[in-house]
Amino acid sequence: MIENIDDFIPTILYVEDEEGIRVELTRFFKRYTDKLYIATNGEEGLDMYKKYKPDIIISDINMPLMTGIEMAKIIKKIDPKQHIIFTTAYNDSSYMLEAIELDIDGYVLKPVDYDKLEYKLNSILDHFKQKLELQQYQQKLEERVKEEVDKNKEQEFILFEQSTLAQMGEMINMIAHQWRQPLGVISTIASSLSLKHSLGRLECSSVDQSCHTIVETTQAMSQTINDFMNFNKKDSNKQVFLHKTIENVREIIGAEFESIGIELDVNIDKELSVYHNATHIKHTLLNILINARDALIENSIDNMLINMYVIEDENLLTLVIKDNAGGIPKEIIDRVFESYFTTKKEGKGTGIGLYMSKKMITSIPDSYIDVDIEEGCTLFKLKFKKSA
Ligand SMILES: Nc1ncnc2c1ncn2[C@@H]1O[C@H](COP(=O)(O)OP(=O)(O)OP(=O)(O)O)[C@@H](O)[C@H]1O
Ligand SMILES: [Mg+2]
C-alpha cells in the first residue's frame, strides 16, 4: 500500500505500430512514469498486458496482427475495469462505435493533441488517487477498529482477573469459616488427651476414640479443600443439573451463612437440567448469594431468608434467587450490571460481580439474567433454554 497518494506512479502500456508517433509519444509518457511498456501491435500488447497488468493502456486502433479494438475486447473480458484510451486517425472512425461499446475511457485523434491526452490521463490518475485514498481511509479505519477491539479485550481480561481475585478472597474467608469448627474439635481433643495424661488418667479406649474423631474431622476438612478446588475447575458447555450445581455452591457458603443465621431454602427438582457451563453458573450464584448476604446484614433483617426455585415454561427454565433484604433501591436497579458499579464500602466490593455474571450467563445463546424487586425482596432470574 502506498503511504503518500502523491507518490503513486502508474504503470502504462503503450501500443503503436508507427515508429515516428511511437517515439514521440513515448517521450511524452515518460513524463508520467518510469514503468512504461511499449508494444508495436495488438498481439504484443495483449502479451504485455497479461505480463505487467498496467494501470492504463494507450493504444492505436489500426495495427497489423491484431487491431487495438480486438486487443481491448479480450482485455475487457479479463478485467472490465481496465483503463484504455485509443489514439485514432480520422479514417479509423468506422471502429469507433465498437470502441464505445467496449466502455473505454476515451479517444484522442491523431495527430495527437497533447493537451487533450494529458487531460484524459490526468482524469484517470485522479480516479486512481481517489481509489487509493479510499483504500487508505478504509485501512486506517480497520486498524482503529482492531485497536479498540484489542483494548476492549485487554480491559475484559483485567476485569475478569479482578473479579476472580475478589471471589477467591471471599472463598478463602469461607474456608477459614468452615475450618474453624473442626480445628476447634481437634484442639479440644488434644488438650483433653494431654490433661488426662498429666493426671495419669489416660485410658487406651479414650485414645482410640479421640484418634478416630481426629481422622474423621481431618477427612471432612480435606473434603472442604476438594470442594473449593472443584468449584474453580474450568468447565465446558454441557448438560448442567441445577440442583447439584446449587448444592456445590452450598458446600462453599453453607457454613458461613448458617453461622450468620441466613436460611437458604432450595426448592428445585433434582432432574431439572440446562445446557450451559457449570462453573459459570456456580460463580454467578456465588456472587448473587454474597450480594444477598451483604444486603441482609447491611439492612439488619431479622428473619434472613433466601429462596431458590424454578419457574418452567415451554422453552425456558427460570431459576429465581430471592432474598428478603429490602430490595435493591429503584434508583440504582438499572445500573447493577454495569462494570464498577458498587454501593459497598471501599475494599468491600469492586462492582464487577454482576457485570461478569451477566457476561458468563449470556455467553451462551438464549440465556439471560434479569433482576426485579417485589415487596421488599430482590429477585435475580437466570433464564436458560431447556436442555434437550
Ligand atoms: N440482593 C441485593 N440487594 C441489594 N442490593 C444489591 C443486591 N445485589 C446487588 N446489589 C447492588 O448491586 C451492586 C453491584 O453488585 P455487584 O455484585 O456487581 O458488585 P459488588 O457486590 O458491589 O462488588 P463485587 O461483586 O465486585 O465484589 C451492589 O454494590 C449493590 O449495591
Ligand atoms: Mg457482588
Side-chain angles (χ1 to χ4, degrees):
M1 169 81 60
I2 296 158
E3 283 295 311
N4 188 344
I5 289 161
D6 294 327
D7 293 344
F8 173 69
I9 296 171
T11 307
I12 295 180
L13 170 63
Y14 176 39
V15 193
E16 172 63 65
D17 60 330
E18 279 178 58
E19 197 184 348
I21 303 175
R22 199 168 61 230
V23 171
E24 206 178 302
L25 274 182
T26 299
R27 215 174 295 138
F28 173 79
F29 291 132
K30 280 196 172 153
R31 281 168 35 197
Y32 280 88
T33 182
D34 50 4
K35 293 184 280 183
L36 177 66
Y37 300 99
I38 316 270
T40 57
N41 59 61
E43 216 171 68
E44 211 184 315
L46 186 59
D47 286 345
M48 285 195 167
Y49 163 77
K50 288 179 182 163
K51 198 162 165 195
Y52 301 112
K53 288 278 147 51
D55 298 310
I56 309 167
I57 299 171
I58 298 105
S59 175
D60 183 19
I61 291 186
N62 208 352
M63 291 181 291
L65 296 176
M66 186 187 276
T67 67
I69 300 277
E70 284 165 334
M71 176 189 78
K73 268 186 189 163
I74 301 171
I75 290 175
K76 281 285 187 179
K77 265 199 189 133
I78 300 170
D79 177 7
K81 287 189 186 140
Q82 176 64 51
H83 292 285
I84 301 175
I85 300 173
F86 282 131
T87 52
T88 69
Y90 273 117
N91 55 4
D92 289 338
S93 57
S94 54
Y95 293 115
M96 280 322 292
L97 260 181
E98 275 190 87
I100 290 164
E101 272 174 21
L102 278 174
D103 190 24
I104 56 158
D105 293 81
Y107 64 92
V108 182
L109 284 178
K110 286 180 187 172
V112 169
D113 175 341
Y114 286 99
D115 285 343
K116 211 167 169 196
L117 183 58
E118 192 162 10
Y119 176 78
K120 292 228 176 295
L121 277 174
N122 281 339
S123 66
I124 295 177
L125 286 178
D126 281 347
H127 170 87
F128 271 110
K129 285 179 181 169
Q130 276 167 9
K131 211 165 101 182
L132 271 174
E133 222 163 12
L134 207 71
Q135 272 174 2
Q136 282 185 348
Y137 182 71
Q138 217 167 352
Q139 197 188 358
K140 276 191 192 134
L141 214 68
E142 275 167 20
E143 277 167 15
R144 276 284 305 278
V145 170
K146 190 179 170 304
E147 253 172 51
E148 288 300 316
V149 168
D150 285 352
K151 239 197 267 172
N152 245 339
K153 273 191 192 152
E154 203 177 316
Q155 194 94 16
E156 281 292 287
F157 179 74
I158 294 170
L159 273 181
F160 189 76
E161 291 282 285
Q162 279 180 339
S163 154
T164 312
L165 271 178
Q167 273 208 344
M168 288 296 266
E170 280 284 355
M171 287 167 113
I172 288 167
N173 270 340
M174 288 176 184
I175 296 190
H177 208 94
Q178 290 200 23
W179 273 19
R180 206 162 288 145
Q181 194 246 351
L183 279 175
V185 170
I186 295 169
S187 161
T188 310
I189 293 174
S191 313
S192 141
L193 286 177
S194 163
L195 182 67
K196 282 180 187 164
H197 183 250
S198 61
L199 296 173
R201 292 175 59 190
L202 188 59
E203 289 164 18
C204 283
S205 62
S206 114
V207 173
D208 264 0
Q209 178 58 41
S210 300
C211 287
H212 182 71
T213 311
I214 289 173
V215 169
E216 272 192 346
T217 311
T218 48
Q219 270 169 358
M221 289 170 83
S222 166
Q223 183 58 41
T224 312
I225 294 288
N226 288 342
D227 294 342
F228 280 94
M229 303 272 265
N230 287 335
F231 199 86
N232 286 311
K233 228 172 29 192
K234 281 215 162 57
D235 217 338
S236 54
N237 301 339
K238 54 179 184 249
Q239 188 180 22
V240 180
F241 286 92
L242 288 177
H243 188 274
K244 182 166 172 266
T245 310
I246 292 166
E247 283 313 304
N248 288 156
V249 181
R250 202 205 275 272
E251 278 155 9
I252 308 293
I253 59 163
E256 203 221 22
F257 276 43
E258 215 172 285
S259 75
I260 300 169
I262 299 174
E263 187 186 341
L264 205 59
D265 180 35
V266 181
N267 192 354
I268 291 170
D269 189 330
K270 283 194 173 126
E271 303 302 318
L272 284 181
S273 68
V274 295
Y275 178 80
H276 212 280
N277 181 307
T279 304
H280 287 178
I281 297 181
K282 283 192 270 183
H283 279 273
T284 299
L285 290 177
L286 188 64
N287 182 53
I288 291 174
L289 291 170
I290 288 172
N291 282 344
R293 175 203 68 187
D294 292 347
L296 288 164
I297 295 172
E298 165 101 18
N299 298 333
S300 313
I301 304 297
D302 283 338
N303 54 337
M304 300 186 277
L305 177 64
I306 299 174
N307 292 105
M308 294 172 89
Y309 54 92
V310 165
I311 300 170
E312 252 185 288
D313 67 26
E314 212 176 316
N315 303 310
L316 284 181
L317 277 187
T318 304
L319 170 60
V320 184
I321 304 106
K322 175 178 174 183
D323 70 64
N324 66 342
I328 299 179
K330 278 200 180 77
E331 317 82 72
I332 65 159
I333 195 159
D334 290 336
R335 302 195 55 199
V336 294
F337 292 108
E338 286 175 17
S339 55
Y340 295 118
F341 178 80
T342 182
T343 56
K344 294 177 188 172
K345 289 195 194 89
E346 213 172 312
K348 255 281 196 180
T350 49
I352 309 168
L354 286 175
Y355 172 79
M356 283 314 297
S357 300
K358 185 165 185 171
K359 284 245 145 203
M360 289 193 275
I361 294 299
T362 57
S363 67
I364 291 186
D366 298 318
S367 304
Y368 317 91
I369 179 168
D370 282 337
V371 64
D372 262 338
I373 34 178
E374 243 173 51
E375 297 161 6
C377 297
T378 299
L379 289 85
F380 276 95
K381 295 175 181 172
L382 308 187
K383 299 182 184 181
F384 307 100
K385 203 171 143 185
K386 279 183 182 171
S387 75

